[in-house]
């Protein structure tokens, strides 16, 4: 079959004009499916494989004769920057077809938005939050806007699957179907998907078997990698030797340097630029993260994409997704990623040309980070990626969407509201009694109000307070920030949860600043250039560790396997970490409780959810304040006098209900989301139990693991 001939004449002419010689494998497989079936399609292929073109070449072909009169395609992206980045790419494909492309997000001017509302046509690029704003603020335009949509392209679809933001998006798409003439086909694009059953269910809940999957592996792509270990000092600072090596490695290459925190990005950028300046090179490294102003970030993107000399971006996961910053030679990772999926995404940013190898240079500064880096790399090489698990019990999203629905309908009857929820792809599995309880609670707390006589539900006074807030459209929690200015130029943001003082020096956007003025009422800080500074602190959660990663870490500790990609320091650190396990002949199916001078230290190595469940169970049977060791994963600390084996036997003998653990979960350990505080206590607990607790998993783990108590005292 000739894929090229399936496309329209205009599309063929466009391909000739772009001087394409052939299609990539993913394009050869996807184009016929879009052209010759009516299925929803998931496309899983590595970064730079041409997924966007694989979707849009046939879509443009199918809509080109009708797209001038109606909006035909919704392109949904997790990032505004990705929308801006993809705009020109899709526009280039549409040149011969005269199809309009529109953007709708917070940075797009009202005149451009009004142009779309006046004449809906072509392709609309949008984020979930802006889609939410349409349902709330443009209710009269929803039918003319949505009625002709035939395709929904979701970029980086994996980023939505396990998140509350994804639950919101799926709800909005379900709501959209009441306005469309046909149910639009969903085309999902990703580089990191494994649990296809769940994603099929997410895409098409009632007929998941009809969703087609295109999976193209990158096994033939050469990967070159090594890991260097530089122990951090007692002050926790990154060793200068690491930074000097990083400068040496990146000196002649276009690089991305990934860090796990915004503060580390800032510190690393300043130090690398100081090293570069000693060689007479100005601005060789640029900081990039979500708290740097958009204009600054766009400048950095363009700078790297057009640079003729080697330059590097030091960044957080914000550059993990497919924003185009030109051809990259090298990816560096400072300390471990928390997921295999994340490492795969980051590696995929290098070696984008067919003939180029992907190059990864890893650095670690702590023993735990070294072991986790080895485990994550081992799983990556084995082809394993965290399976998507979805967003269980999304009662908080139901709360949010009920307010949105009442606003959209401008008053809605009980039966219509309940019907909208029960037929929504996000909520259809939730028990009806829970939805009824939620609506009644929202009325009692004035989130909703019942109009006398009409018996219609409208947004209540307290609901209006939320609805009119500037961040109602998003369902993820947002920290409170100071906006930081140098004169009239906005540089970025600093976390309000951290104390700052006038005269204090901070790093932001890779530069040094002194705070000269603070306006707490307007949330503004004014700065001028400084000569030295300390890295800023941002409050953040490192996220959960998957059970498979934790178990692989333990296998690494208990084995004698050597890893050729480690430097001498890393090999020496690994040998030191393994010493006590080999000394006591610990095997990977055993788990150890170490008796040390002042405590018992239990190492479950079973992932965050079961580890937390074990802590709560141990508290329940002991009555003691048992906790995880700070800053160390998979370490549970107990008083030394405790009979650990007796506690485990008590756990195994008891018949457990979720409610048995309620009193043993600390206040700061409960799952808290943006809208969970507005739920009933019962629904808050259900959400927590569904996503943060695994009693059956914990009991099976205790049954299958041989526990050893080993004394390290004298």
């Amino acid at each position: 079959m000739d894929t090229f001939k399936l496309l329209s004449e205009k599309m063929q002419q466009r391909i000739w004009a772009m001087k394409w010689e052939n299609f990539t494998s993913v394009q050869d497989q996807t184009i016929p499916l879009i052209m010759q079936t009516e299925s929803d399609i998931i496309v899983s292929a590595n970064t730079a494989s041409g997924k966007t073109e694989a979707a849009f070449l046939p879509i443009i072909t199918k809509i080109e004769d009708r797209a001038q009169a109606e909006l035909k395609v919704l392109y949904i992206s997790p990032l505004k920057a990705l929308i801006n980045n993809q705009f020109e790419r899709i526009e280039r494909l549409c040149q011969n077809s005269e199809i309009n492309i529109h953007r709708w997000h917070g940075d797009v001017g009202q005149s451009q938005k009004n142009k779309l509302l006046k004449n809906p046509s072509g392709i609309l690029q949008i984020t979930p939050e802006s889609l939410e704003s349409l349902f709330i603020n443009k209710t009269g335009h929803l039918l003319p806007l949505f009625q002709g949509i035939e395709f929904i392209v979701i970029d980086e679809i994996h980023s939505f699957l396990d998140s509350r933001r994804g639950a919101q998006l799926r709800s909005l798409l379900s709501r959209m179907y009441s306005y469309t003439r046909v149910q639009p086909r969903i085309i999902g694009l990703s580089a990191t998907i494994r649990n296809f059953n769940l994603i099929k269910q997410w895409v098409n809940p009632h007929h998941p078997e009809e969703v087609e999957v295109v999976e193209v592996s990158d096994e033939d792509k050469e990967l070159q990698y090594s890991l260097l270990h530089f122990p951090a000092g007692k002050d926790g600072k990154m060793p200068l030797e690491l930074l000097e090596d990083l400068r040496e490695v990146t000196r002649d290459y276009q690089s991305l340097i990934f860090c796990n925190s915004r503060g580390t990005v800032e510190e690393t950028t300043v130090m690398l630029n100081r090293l570069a300046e000693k060689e007479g090179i100005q601005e060789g490294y640029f900081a990039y993260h979500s708290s740097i102003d958009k204009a600054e970030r766009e400048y950095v993107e363009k700078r790297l994409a057009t640079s003729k000399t080697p330059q590097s971006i030091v960044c957080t996961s914000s550059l993990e997704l497919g924003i185009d910053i030109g051809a990259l030679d090298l990816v560096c990772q400072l300390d471990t990623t928390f997921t295999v999926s994340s490492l795969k995404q980051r590696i995929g940013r290098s070696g984008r040309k067919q003939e180029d190898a992907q190059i990864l240079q890893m650095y670690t500064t702590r023993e735990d980070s070294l072991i986790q880096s080895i485990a994550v790399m081992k799983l990556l090489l084995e082809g394993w990626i965290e399976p998507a698990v979805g967003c269980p019990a999304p009662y908080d999203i139901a709360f949010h969407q009920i307010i949105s629905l009442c606003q959209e309908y401008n008053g809605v009857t009980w039966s219509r509201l309940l019907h909208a929820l029960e037929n929504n792809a996000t909520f259809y599995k939730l028990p009806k009694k829970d939805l009824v309880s939620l609506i009644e609670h929202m009325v009692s707390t004035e989130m909703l109000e019942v109009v006398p006589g009409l018996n219609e539900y409208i947004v209540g006074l307290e609901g209006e307070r939320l609805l009119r807030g500037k961040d109602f459209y998003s369902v993820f929690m947002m920290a409170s920030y100071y906006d930081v200015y140098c004169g009239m130029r906005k540089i970025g943001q600093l976390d309000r949860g951290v104390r700052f003082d006038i005269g204090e020096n901070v790093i932001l956007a890779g530069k040094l600043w002194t705070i000269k003025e603070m306006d707490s009422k307007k949330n503004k800080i004014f700065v001028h250039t400084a000569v030295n500074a300390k890295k800023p602190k941002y409050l953040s959660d490192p996220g959960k560790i998957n059970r498979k990663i934790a178990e692989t870490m333990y296998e690494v500790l208990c084995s004698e396997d050597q890893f050729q990609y480690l430097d001498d320091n890393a090999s020496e650190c690994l040998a030191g970490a393994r010493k006590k396990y080999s000394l006591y002949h610990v095997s990977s199916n055993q788990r150890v409780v170490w008796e040390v001078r002042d405590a018992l230290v239990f190492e479950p190595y079973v992932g965050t959810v079961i580890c937390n469940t074990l802590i709560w169970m141990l508290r329940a049977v002991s009555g003691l304040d048992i906790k995880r060791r700070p800053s160390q994963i998979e370490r549970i600390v107990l008083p030394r006098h405790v009979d650990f084996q007796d506690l485990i036997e008590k756990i195994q003998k008891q018949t457990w209900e979720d409610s048995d653990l309620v009193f043993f979960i600390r206040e700061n350990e409960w799952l808290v989301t943006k809208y969970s505080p507005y739920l009933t206590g019962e629904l808050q607990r259900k959400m927590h139990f569904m996503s943060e607790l695994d009693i059956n998993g914990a009991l099976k783990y205790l049954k299958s693991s041989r526990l050893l108590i080993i004394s390290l005292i004298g």
Side-chain angles (χ1 to χ4, degrees):
M1 176 180 58
D2 191 338
T3 305
F4 182 71
K5 290 181 180 175
L6 292 174
L7 302 173
S8 68
E9 190 175 325
K10 288 179 180 177
M11 201 72 257
Q12 290 177 9
Q13 289 170 353
R14 188 73 207 115
I15 291 168
W16 283 118
M18 293 188 294
K19 299 181 179 177
W20 285 19
E21 294 181 6
N22 48 44
F23 289 129
T24 65
S25 177
V26 70
Q27 291 161 356
D28 263 328
Q29 293 182 51
T30 305
I31 291 170
L33 276 177
I34 294 178
M35 291 300 299
Q36 298 176 329
T37 76
E38 294 301 316
S39 301
D40 299 312
I41 300 166
I42 305 303
V43 183
S44 176
N46 62 302
T47 307
S49 59
K51 293 188 294 292
T52 303
E53 289 78 9
F56 276 98
L57 291 175
I59 286 174
I60 293 166
T61 290
K62 288 182 86 76
I63 66 166
E64 64 183 15
D65 59 336
R66 291 166 288 121
Q68 291 77 21
E70 286 184 320
L71 183 64
K72 288 293 175 189
V73 182
L74 204 63
Y75 165 94
I76 298 169
S77 164
L79 298 174
K80 290 188 288 187
L82 191 54
I83 284 178
N84 297 338
N85 207 259
Q86 294 281 36
F87 181 81
E88 292 176 11
R89 192 170 171 184
I90 298 170
E91 189 177 47
R92 197 160 54 243
L93 298 178
C94 290
Q95 274 183 20
N96 289 37
S97 307
E98 300 173 358
I99 294 175
N100 293 320
I101 306 172
H102 310 271
R103 285 177 282 193
W104 192 297
H105 55 65
D107 300 331
V108 174
Q110 195 57 50
S111 61
Q112 290 174 268
K113 292 176 178 177
N114 290 338
K115 188 178 174 184
L116 170 69
L117 295 174
K118 191 174 180 181
N119 180 28
S121 65
I123 299 167
L124 173 61
Q125 296 178 287
I126 199 165
T127 60
E129 292 70 34
S130 290
L131 188 57
E132 182 75 68
S133 78
L134 287 175
F135 278 96
I136 290 170
N137 300 313
K138 305 296 179 185
T139 53
H141 294 276
L142 296 180
L143 181 61
L145 192 60
F146 293 151
Q147 64 184 356
I149 290 177
E150 296 176 17
F151 290 94
I152 298 169
V153 179
I154 306 177
D155 210 349
E156 308 288 0
I157 193 170
H158 67 274
S159 68
F160 294 114
L161 296 179
D162 295 343
S163 69
R164 315 208 97 67
R165 195 181 186 207
Q168 175 195 23
L169 172 60
R170 197 63 197 82
S171 171
L172 293 171
L173 296 182
S174 289
R175 290 165 61 184
M176 183 194 298
Y177 297 162
S178 64
Y179 296 98
T180 59
R181 284 194 295 270
V182 299
Q183 181 159 317
R185 295 170 65 184
I186 292 179
I187 314 295
L189 310 179
S190 175
T192 54
I193 295 178
R194 280 298 176 271
N195 188 350
F196 287 106
N197 288 336
L198 184 134
I199 191 171
K200 285 180 177 184
Q201 190 79 39
W202 192 93
V203 166
N204 192 337
H206 301 298
H207 297 286
E209 72 283 353
E210 294 179 6
V211 180
E212 298 276 1
V213 172
V214 175
E215 185 179 15
V216 179
S217 72
D218 53 353
E219 290 174 0
D220 56 342
K221 193 80 174 171
E222 183 187 357
L223 172 60
Q224 299 173 8
Y225 54 97
S226 66
L227 189 156
L228 308 181
H229 184 68
F230 294 88
K234 289 182 180 177
D235 57 2
K237 280 193 173 181
M238 198 176 301
L240 183 59
E241 293 82 4
L242 186 157
L243 294 158
E244 288 171 337
D245 190 273
L246 188 51
R247 169 62 190 150
E248 184 70 30
V249 165
T250 57
R251 179 184 285 113
D252 300 322
Y253 297 107
Q254 300 283 91
S255 313
L256 276 184
I257 302 166
F258 283 100
C259 304
N260 290 330
S261 73
R262 289 168 283 179
T264 305
V265 165
E266 296 290 1
E267 179 185 37
T268 304
T269 306
V270 166
M271 292 302 295
L272 287 172
N273 275 324
R274 282 178 64 183
L275 292 170
E277 283 164 13
K278 283 177 118 181
E279 303 168 22
I281 295 168
Q282 300 293 319
E283 284 202 314
Y285 299 87
F286 300 91
Y288 190 108
H289 57 75
S290 59
S291 292
I292 293 174
D293 188 61
K294 177 180 74 80
E296 298 279 327
R297 295 199 306 269
E298 288 177 348
Y299 166 76
V300 170
E301 290 166 21
K302 287 177 184 172
R303 178 80 180 249
L304 208 74
T306 58
S307 175
K308 304 297 182 191
T309 58
Q311 295 190 322
S312 298
I313 298 179
V314 188
C315 58
T316 56
S317 59
S318 51
L319 270 182
E320 207 173 87
L321 303 179
I323 296 170
D324 187 8
I325 48 174
L328 289 168
D329 305 304
L330 173 70
V331 169
C332 300
Q333 174 67 44
L334 298 189
D335 282 315
T336 185
T337 60
F338 285 92
T339 65
V340 178
S341 169
S342 189
L343 185 63
K344 184 176 172 63
Q345 285 280 144
R346 294 175 186 193
I347 290 172
R349 301 311 312 267
S350 72
R352 293 172 77 106
K353 292 179 183 172
Q354 197 68 34
E355 67 279 4
D356 289 349
Q358 295 175 332
I359 303 175
L360 171 68
Q361 178 63 66
M362 295 176 282
Y363 295 91
T364 55
T365 60
R366 295 173 292 104
E367 184 183 284
D368 265 6
S369 179
L370 170 65
I371 306 303
Q372 194 173 343
S373 293
I374 294 170
V376 168
M377 177 54 75
K378 189 173 186 289
L379 290 168
L380 178 85
L381 296 173
E382 291 170 3
W384 183 88
I385 286 178
E386 294 81 6
V389 295
C391 180
Y395 292 106
D396 54 338
I397 307 305
F399 167 87
H400 177 269
Q401 290 294 283
I402 287 168
I403 292 177
S404 180
L405 279 162
C406 289
Q407 179 70 11
E408 176 193 346
Y409 294 146
N410 194 26
V412 57
T413 63
W414 169 266
S415 59
R416 189 180 182 190
L417 179 56
L418 210 55
H419 181 267
L421 293 171
E422 289 182 314
N423 286 275
N424 188 296
T426 297
F427 312 121
Y428 74 103
K429 287 186 178 179
L430 297 180
K432 182 176 181 178
K433 67 179 180 62
D434 286 349
L435 294 173
V436 169
S437 166
L438 175 58
I439 295 168
E440 289 174 347
H441 178 69
M442 292 176 72
V443 172
S444 71
T445 55
E446 296 187 24
M447 292 294 169
L448 299 181
E449 185 181 322
V450 184
V451 180
L454 293 175
N455 270 341
E456 285 190 345
Y457 290 78
I458 62 172
V459 181
L461 288 175
E462 291 303 313
E464 287 284 356
R465 200 186 308 279
L466 286 180
L467 186 63
R468 293 169 190 268
K470 62 179 181 179
D471 64 344
F472 177 79
Y473 309 136
S474 66
V475 295
F476 48 85
M477 293 183 82
M478 298 172 72
S480 176
Y481 292 108
Y482 291 108
D483 290 328
V484 181
Y485 290 84
C486 179
M488 298 294 289
R489 175 181 151 219
K490 186 179 175 185
I491 300 158
Q493 297 175 314
L494 291 172
D495 200 322
R496 276 188 67 101
V498 178
R499 178 173 173 169
F500 295 98
D501 294 311
I502 292 173
E504 185 177 350
N505 290 1
V506 294
I507 308 170
L508 188 59
K511 300 211 169 44
L512 313 178
W513 311 97
T514 298
I515 297 173
K516 65 177 184 179
E517 190 181 333
M518 295 180 68
D519 186 335
S520 294
K521 288 184 179 177
K522 294 183 178 177
N523 290 340
K524 289 184 178 180
I525 287 178
F526 297 91
V527 298
H528 57 75
T529 305
V531 292
N532 59 60
K534 61 184 180 182
K535 70 177 181 182
K537 288 181 181 176
Y538 293 95
L539 307 177
S540 59
D541 176 16
K544 296 175 185 174
I545 292 177
N546 183 278
R547 178 173 183 170
K548 182 80 170 173
I549 293 176
E551 290 174 341
T552 305
M553 289 174 69
Y554 196 68
E555 288 169 14
V556 168
L557 285 168
C558 293
S559 79
E560 296 179 357
D561 293 349
Q562 298 304 307
F563 302 95
Q564 300 303 317
Y565 61 91
L566 304 183
D567 75 337
D568 290 344
N569 277 349
S571 296
E572 190 177 320
C573 182
L574 175 60
R578 285 172 162 175
K579 197 169 183 179
K580 60 184 180 182
Y581 299 91
S582 61
L583 183 64
Y584 293 99
H585 307 290
V586 179
S587 64
S588 59
N589 68 335
Q590 298 172 318
R591 290 297 186 270
V592 182
V593 181
W594 302 102
E595 186 181 2
V596 295
R597 187 166 51 85
D598 56 348
L600 296 179
V601 181
F602 174 36
E603 298 180 333
Y605 280 98
V606 72
T608 304
V609 172
I610 293 181
C611 187
N612 286 341
T613 304
L614 288 170
I615 289 172
W616 299 325
M617 289 171 128
L618 285 165
R619 286 178 190 164
V621 295
S622 72
L624 298 170
D625 185 20
I626 292 165
K627 52 197 172 190
R628 188 191 300 264
R629 179 173 281 181
S631 78
Q632 287 193 311
I633 59 170
E634 303 293 341
R635 313 286 202 287
I636 299 175
V637 182
L638 303 93
R640 188 179 156 194
H641 63 78
V642 163
D643 185 338
F644 186 79
Q645 202 64 52
D646 180 58
L647 295 183
I648 297 303
E649 286 173 12
K650 285 180 179 176
I651 289 173
Q652 291 175 314
K653 284 177 184 174
Q654 187 165 328
T655 302
W656 292 91
E657 299 290 339
D658 293 346
S659 56
D660 295 332
L661 296 175
V662 167
F663 297 110
F664 303 98
I665 303 171
R666 291 178 179 174
E667 190 174 340
N668 66 340
E669 293 172 341
W670 284 98
L671 172 68
V672 178
T673 68
K674 186 173 180 179
Y675 293 107
S676 63
Y678 302 104
L679 304 175
T680 64
E682 182 187 357
L683 293 183
Q684 287 183 48
R685 288 190 290 274
K686 274 194 174 185
M687 275 179 56
H688 180 89
F689 294 150
M690 289 287 286
S691 62
E692 305 296 316
L693 190 67
D694 186 358
I695 288 175
N696 287 336
L699 293 172
K700 284 179 184 175
Y701 162 79
L702 291 176
K703 189 175 181 180
S704 63
S705 299
R706 290 172 52 210
L707 298 174
L708 299 177
I709 300 176
I710 299 174
S711 177
L712 295 178
I713 302 169

